[in-house]
Amino acid sequence: MKKIQISPSILSADFSQLGNEIKKLENGGADMVHVDVMDGHYVPNLTIGPPVIKSLRKHTKLKFDVHLMIAPVHKYIEDYAEAGADIITIHPEATDSLQDSINKIKELKKKVGISLNPETKIEIIEKFLNQIDLVLIMSVNPGFGGQKFMPEVLEKVKKLKTVRENNKFNYDIEIDGGINFENSKSAIEAGANILVSGTTIFKNNDGDIKKNIELLKSA
Ligand code: DX5
Ligand code: ZN
């Protein structure tokens, strides 16, 4: 049974205080920090890049769970590894060769994640499951925080859990988008062991990060 971990998304943090916000996550019991990188091309939004990640690196020992919503992605992987990413998650549609990009992330000694959008089928990554560390199941269409959870993606979570058990694979199953106190239990029961959450952690209970993380964990 994999430990349930919380990876708060800083997309919902105060961008003018990112260093302090990350310290609050660390003190509030976060297991890692979910960094949503958006390029305004793969998704219709633009956030942060390597220089900001590099400057945040010294503010915490927490792992940076970097979600690259950028295309093309392959040529930028090294920049994020050097900036301090620990897990580098890419979208299969954003690279000409998923195998080359997986190899590149491994070469850089980082954990490899692949992210599936709500409409993307597991089949397209099935042959890579034996060599990756994380599957990130999007429960919203990527690009923005604060969207409504799409419960239909839980079928993919269940399937990934079964495939992992039947083949003795070891990847984590992370779910990302619209996770809150009402749906976190069903996400965990379906098989997700890492919950990404932005709005729920930063905005609920007057922004009491520690309380919100505990509530999500104790779902
Ligand atoms: C969306 C991002 C998610 C999002 C989560 O493209 O990948 O990580 O920021 O934010 P909430 O929890 O507010 O849906
Ligand atoms: Zn994300």
Side-chain angles (χ1 to χ4, degrees), residues 7-30:
S7 185
S9 161
I10 56 171
L11 184 64
S12 302
D14 176 350
F15 268 40
S16 74
Q17 301 287 330
L18 275 182
N20 295 330
E21 298 274 80
I22 282 182
K23 278 204 186 346
K24 281 192 225 165
L25 292 179
E26 188 163 21
N27 298 335

Side-chain angles (χ1 to χ4, degrees), residues 70-138:
I70 68 175
V73 65
H74 189 80
K75 62 182 176 180
Y76 296 110
I77 289 171
E78 189 152 4
D79 295 345
Y80 287 93
E82 278 172 10
D86 296 286
I87 303 169
I88 297 178
T89 296
I90 61 175
H91 284 254
E93 306 87 349
T95 175
D96 295 337
S97 162
L98 190 48
Q99 188 60 69
D100 288 353
S101 296
I102 289 170
N103 295 346
K104 182 75 182 168
I105 297 169
K106 283 176 175 275
E107 222 176 83
L108 293 159
K109 309 253 180 299
K110 303 300 178 181
K111 295 273 187 205
V112 185
I114 300 179
S115 182
L116 296 181
N117 288 333
E119 78 285 352
T120 308
K121 299 218 177 316
I122 294 173
E123 285 65 29
I124 74 158
I125 65 164
E126 228 152 20
K127 70 176 182 177
F128 303 102
L129 289 174
N130 65 328
Q131 54 183 302
I132 62 174
D133 303 289
L134 173 85
V135 180
L136 174 56
I137 294 296
M138 295 304 294

